Amino acid sequence: SQQGEEDPQALSIQEGENATMNCSYKTSINNLQWYRQNSGRGLVHLILIRSNEREKHSGRLRVTLDTSKKSSSLLITASRAADTASYFCATDNAGNNRKLIWGLGTSLAVNP
Amino acid sequence: GAVVSQHPSWVICKSGTSVKIECRSLDFQATTMFWYRQFPKQSLMLMATSNEGSKATYEQGVEKDKFLINHASLTLSTLTVTSAHPEDSSFYICSARTGTGLSNQPQHFGDGTRLSIL
């Protein structure tokens, strides 16, 4: 079952702008993960943030986690046309046989 | 590292045919692999968790006799869609996780298989 909700569902920006996507979840987690999916392809892992971490960076990506609000955000800075893809959050829940619970995804379009 | 290979990438076949999809971890051992189904513009739907050397754990509503999963080695899991019908047409994706137990490790995905049943 899906427990994650992401907003916005779709986002269209110009190259060079920043893109922010949000994810909310419902239960306690071990970690939260962000993935990217290009059209018709598999998913690529971007960042994993543990429940005791509040912020994590990887290149142009910045992820925050607020466990009190059960929410996370993914910021892509200085976006490029190649960042156009769908972005999904997924939570690894305590005691859930290690399967991930997926959000509905945000479709990002970066216009050149 | 952590490469997962899935094939075939595209299958078109007649109704009633059984189709096998392979998922291989190329440079790591995966005691657990996952099979997902994805409809257009939607999120991933977990079908089953495949455990090496034991029976797969299917999600509620997924017919185990329809979607046969075999995880015979630490690097290979297969999904067989038996007697496929047009409603089985979908994008199927596998993933594998490195590490065991409670380690905080991401899943690594294959490139998916687009199945079209005529």
Side-chain angles (χ1 to χ4, degrees):
Chain A
S1 62
Q2 301 291 341
Q3 76 154 2
E5 293 184 4
E6 290 165 78
D7 74 273
Q9 290 186 358
L11 181 61
S12 181
I13 60 175
Q14 297 298 122
E15 252 187 336
E17 293 181 340
N18 296 342
T20 299
M21 289 159 266
N22 302 297
C23 169
S24 61
Y25 57 93
K26 297 178 182 176
T27 62
S28 296
I29 62 172
N30 290 318
N31 62 67
L32 185 145
Q33 304 172 30
W34 284 91
Y35 291 82
R36 164 200 170 120
Q37 183 181 31
N38 284 49
S39 181
R41 303 294 297 274
L43 281 73
V44 175
H45 170 72
L46 298 176
I47 289 184
L48 181 152
I49 186 165
R50 301 183 186 194
S51 59
N52 60 353
E53 297 177 311
R54 292 297 167 259
E55 188 170 312
K56 210 162 182 180
H57 297 254
S58 177
R60 293 183 295 111
L61 306 181
R62 172 176 167 253
V63 167
T64 62
L65 178 65
D66 187 334
T67 53
S68 66
K69 295 181 180 178
K70 290 186 169 58
S71 68
S72 173
S73 68
L74 169 66
L75 168 67
I76 303 174
T77 60
S79 64
R80 306 166 181 169
D83 294 328
T84 295
S86 292
Y87 292 82
F88 293 92
C89 70
T91 54
D92 186 341
N93 297 354
N96 199 27
N97 293 325
R98 316 306 299 169
K99 63 183 180 182
L100 295 179
I101 306 298
W102 293 87
L104 299 177
T106 293
S107 177
L108 174 66
V110 181
N111 304 303
Chain B
V3 177
V4 174
S5 173
Q6 181 177 343
H7 82 90
S9 56
W10 195 289
V11 180
I12 302 174
C13 57
K14 294 180 179 180
S15 185
T17 306
S18 291
V19 179
K20 180 185 281 188
I21 303 169
E22 291 190 350
C23 181
R24 293 182 184 272
S25 56
L26 297 186
D27 52 1
F28 67 99
Q29 292 185 333
T31 55
T32 303
M33 292 185 174
F34 303 89
W35 287 96
Y36 295 90
R37 184 172 179 175
Q38 186 179 34
F39 293 101
K41 299 189 184 302
Q42 294 192 21
S43 187
L44 280 73
M45 182 185 78
L46 180 65
M47 298 175 66
T49 302
S50 171
N51 302 296
E52 187 268 336
S54 65
K55 292 182 179 180
T57 302
Y58 288 82
E59 294 299 300
Q60 191 173 9
V62 178
E63 300 176 57
K64 61 181 181 181
D65 294 331
K66 174 74 170 177
F67 300 99
L68 299 178
I69 291 173
N70 184 277
H71 194 157
S73 77
L74 286 171
T75 58
L76 174 64
S77 176
T78 60
L79 168 67
T80 301
V81 183
T82 61
S83 187
H85 292 285
E87 58 267 27
D88 299 322
S89 298
S90 193
F91 191 57
Y92 293 87
I93 315 175
C94 73
S95 72
R97 198 182 65 237
T98 56
T100 57
L102 300 178
S103 60
N104 284 292
Q105 295 291 335
Q107 291 184 15
H108 303 280
F109 285 81
D111 262 347
T113 298
R114 184 155 309 279
L115 177 62
S116 297
I117 307 299
L118 306 177

